Every structure is written in structure tokens, then in C-alpha cells.
Amino acid sequence: QLLNHTYCAKREKETKLVKEFYSFLKANEDLSDIQTFCSLTKTNYTTLNRNFNKILGITAKKFERLIKFRKAVKALINSPERLTDVVVDSGYFDQSHFIKEFKHYMGMSPSEYLNLLQSTSGHATITQIDLSVI
């Protein structure tokens, strides 16, 4: 009875849109783009952004950035590729933009982070780094 009282059809519609966007990003990491999602689903960008902010407390663009950053960090850790290749493959415009964003989220540069991982390899074992978003 309590759930019936608090049910709101409008909220369900907002939540569904956010879930669809997340599913899109998860299924299409290479195409993870808000504009693409909006075109394919005939969704208004402002509506998506408003719903995202209302439900999750962050904008859809920030969420998209987090997904892109997660992909880059995973590639940086698990790949022997050069930083430039990781950056481009992850969808960043250039290396300096990625480094700035890396410092923002991690508090250090990518090279400092990799050096930290390498320096701890003799003292600790990193068995798995899971950066997935549920």
C-alpha cells in the first residue's frame, strides 16, 4: 500500500530514460556519445540531462565523461600501448586533456600512477582491478 501511494508514473519514465542511456553506454563503449543516443532514441538532450541530474545528481555529460575515463584507465593499466594510443582509443581529443582529467579524478598524473603501480608490485599484488560500472 505504501509503494502504491508513492508510485509516480512520471518518475518511472525519468528513471527508464536514465537506465536506457546507461545501457547504451555500457553496450556501445565505442559509440558512447550523448548525441548518438539522443538521435537513435529520439530523446531531447535537455530532457535526458534534467532527468539524469534529478535522479543521479550529476549531468549526463559528466556521467559520459566518467565512462570514458574508466575505459581509458582500464586500457592504461591492462595494455602495453603508449599513452597517446590509449588516449585516442578512449575517445579523448588529445593527451593533455586526458592528463588534466586524470589529475582531476586521481590526484596525480598517469605516469605517476603507473610508477606507483610498478613500485608496489614487489610489495603488493594487484590481482584484479575492476573499474566496471554495475
Side-chain angles (χ1 to χ4, degrees), residues 53-87:
N53 210 7
K54 189 184 300 182
I55 293 167
L56 298 178
I58 61 172
T59 64
K61 187 66 177 169
K62 181 145 187 163
F63 188 77
E64 180 186 50
R65 281 179 55 204
L66 289 168
I67 296 292
K68 182 171 40 171
F69 180 73
R70 176 188 58 93
K71 179 182 177 184
V73 172
K74 258 174 95 169
L76 188 64
I77 293 169
N78 299 322
S79 165
E81 291 183 52
R82 295 177 327 149
L83 180 61
T84 307
D85 297 330
V86 167
V87 168

Side-chain angles (χ1 to χ4, degrees), residues 8-103:
C8 175
K10 182 179 178 189
R11 189 72 164 172
E12 183 178 325
K13 185 177 178 182
E14 293 167 351
T15 304
K16 183 180 178 197
L17 185 59
V18 170
K19 286 178 183 178
E20 285 175 358
F21 179 62
Y22 171 69
S23 295
F24 171 79
L25 289 179
K26 193 171 180 180
N28 303 293
E29 277 196 359
D30 295 336
L31 302 172
S32 59
D33 176 83
I34 294 172
Q35 303 303 1
T36 304
F37 173 78
C38 289
S39 327
L40 291 172
T41 60
K42 296 178 180 29
T43 302
N44 181 292
Y45 174 81
T46 305
T47 302
L48 175 67
N49 210 33
R50 188 180 318 113
N51 291 349
F52 235 87
N53 210 7
K54 189 184 300 182
I55 293 167
L56 298 178
I58 61 172
T59 64
K61 187 66 177 169
K62 181 145 187 163
F63 188 77
E64 180 186 50
R65 281 179 55 204
L66 289 168
I67 296 292
K68 182 171 40 171
F69 180 73
R70 176 188 58 93
K71 179 182 177 184
V73 172
K74 258 174 95 169
L76 188 64
I77 293 169
N78 299 322
S79 165
E81 291 183 52
R82 295 177 327 149
L83 180 61
T84 307
D85 297 330
V86 167
V87 168
V88 171
D89 292 346
S90 299
Y92 283 90
F93 182 69
D94 59 24
Q95 191 170 335
S96 65
H97 182 229
F98 172 71
I99 292 170
K100 181 179 176 184
E101 193 151 283
F102 196 95
K103 285 180 181 179

Side-chain angles (χ1 to χ4, degrees), residues 100-113:
K100 181 179 176 184
E101 193 151 283
F102 196 95
K103 285 180 181 179
H104 172 76
Y105 288 123
M106 303 295 274
M108 62 183 78
S109 72
S111 57
E112 290 171 328
Y113 182 73

Side-chain angles (χ1 to χ4, degrees), residues 115-127:
N115 287 337
L116 179 66
L117 288 178
Q118 287 175 346
S119 70
T120 60
S121 67
H123 306 288
T125 303
I126 301 172
T127 56

